[in-house]
């Protein structure tokens, strides 16, 4: 996958997206930073200040080419720096087994920014903890007659009113299950058990 980080590459890649999607406007564009793992890292010629990237995106927004600016894979300091540009969504890794970005979530809540955890099911990079493997998730799933995947997603929805789920699937059956996760009611007692269980399993539970 090609990384577009440099300001001129950012504009060019958005123009390519418009062409591919046969549209003249993108409602939301995420700037995916690549300063830290896991995943893609910027090569030296693509290491640019966030401010320069936000200037390009703000310009495109002023032109009406993009509707809103989102950030992905950012640190708390980077989100703070970007707030004056008007950020509408943040997409970082976050799930019950990996809550390292809880501080970002709280800042998003205070600022009214959508929280869009990626790898909501703990998929992707093989070395990341997997929510469905936590014993407490499996126990609660059994008690509720749900799947462990559904409990993991219901936790994300319950943990913040700003959460928006983007669980990936190539299966219609899984998609239906994922949609039904929105109807699963986790009580405060379930939430506490999930937090305790994630912590006991050695994850970065809050
Ligand atoms: N910003 C970034 O840097 C970044 C990086 C990676 C991903 N993302 C975004 O994050 C979103 C999710 O990423 P992802 O799809 O890689 O990870 P994910 O949602 O955490 O996991 C997807 C995996 O879970 C399985 N799955 C989904 N629903 C299931 C169900 N109900 N039961 C059993 N298995 C189920 C899928 O298999 P099946 O296909 O068999 O259902 C797939 O293997 C995507 O929109 C992606 O674009 C963003």
């Amino acid at each position: 996958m090609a990384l577009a980080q440099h300001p001129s590459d950012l504009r060019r890649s958005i123009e390519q997206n418009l062409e591919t999607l046969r549209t003249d406007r993108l409602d939301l564009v995420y700037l995916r930073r690549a300063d830290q793992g896991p995943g893609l890292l910027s090569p030296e010629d693509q290491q640019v200040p966030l401010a320069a990237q936000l200037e390009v995106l703000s310009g495109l927004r002023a032109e009406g080419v993009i509707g809103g600016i989102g950030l992905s894979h950012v640190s708390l300091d980077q989100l703070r720096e970007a707030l004056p540009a008007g950020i509408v969504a943040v997409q970082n890794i976050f799930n019950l087994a990996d809550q390292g970005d809880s501080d970002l979530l709280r800042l998003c809540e205070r600022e009214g920014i959508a929280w869009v955890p990626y790898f909501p099911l703990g998929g992707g990079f093989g070395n990341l903890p997997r929510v469905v493997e936590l014993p407490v998730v499996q126990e609660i799933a059994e008690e509720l007659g749900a799947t462990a995947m559904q409990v993991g997603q219901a936790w994300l929805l319950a943990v913040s009113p700003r959460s928006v789920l983007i669980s990936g699937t190539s299966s219609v059956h899984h998609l239906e299950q994922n949609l039904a996760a929105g109807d699963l009611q986790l009580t405060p007692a379930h939430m506490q058990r999930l937090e305790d269980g994630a912590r006991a399993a050695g994850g970065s539970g809050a």
Side-chain angles (χ1 to χ4, degrees):
M1 190 190 298
L3 261 181
Q5 295 284 301
H6 198 275
S8 59
D9 291 334
L10 275 182
R11 178 174 275 273
R12 196 173 320 120
S13 85
I14 288 171
E15 284 166 357
Q16 279 168 1
N17 286 166
L18 291 170
E19 212 176 298
T20 310
L21 296 169
R22 296 186 191 166
T23 184
D24 52 10
R25 184 178 188 273
L26 298 174
D27 290 335
L28 170 61
V29 168
Y30 286 100
L31 169 64
R32 203 285 194 189
R33 288 287 298 190
D35 323 275
Q36 55 186 338
L40 294 169
L41 290 174
S42 298
E44 213 167 308
D45 65 338
Q46 289 283 336
Q47 289 170 12
V48 287
L50 179 58
Q53 298 173 314
L54 290 171
E55 199 179 317
V56 174
L57 295 178
S58 299
L60 287 165
R61 187 180 51 195
E63 291 168 33
V65 175
I66 70 177
I69 303 172
L71 293 177
S72 177
H73 221 72
V74 285
S75 67
L76 184 61
D77 284 347
Q78 286 172 326
L79 176 57
R80 284 197 186 112
E81 178 189 342
L83 285 178
I87 303 301
V88 298
V90 170
Q91 188 178 126
N92 271 26
I93 294 178
F94 188 76
N95 54 61
L96 176 63
D98 184 350
Q99 298 180 52
D101 279 342
S102 294
D103 289 352
L104 268 107
L105 167 56
R106 299 303 157 219
L107 183 54
C108 286
E109 287 174 343
R110 289 197 295 278
E111 297 290 333
I113 295 170
W115 179 247
V116 189
Y118 83 82
F119 292 153
L121 303 168
F125 311 119
N127 54 344
L128 293 179
R130 288 189 47 83
V131 174
V132 291
E133 285 165 12
L134 295 175
V136 68
V137 172
Q138 294 172 354
E139 278 164 32
I140 291 178
E142 207 176 313
E143 286 167 26
L144 296 177
T147 69
M149 287 283 187
Q150 287 175 318
V151 172
Q153 291 171 92
W155 178 85
L156 277 169
L157 289 173
V159 83
S160 172
R162 304 306 304 172
S163 289
V164 178
L165 288 196
I166 53 165
S167 312
T169 181
S170 54
S171 140
V172 173
H173 178 56
H174 287 167
L175 176 63
E176 285 166 354
Q177 287 184 338
N178 296 346
L179 289 170
D183 298 327
L184 208 59
Q185 297 295 324
L186 296 179
T187 64
H190 287 133
M191 293 299 280
Q192 190 60 54
R193 279 172 62 197
L194 288 166
E195 293 289 347
D196 293 346
R199 201 177 298 111
S204 44

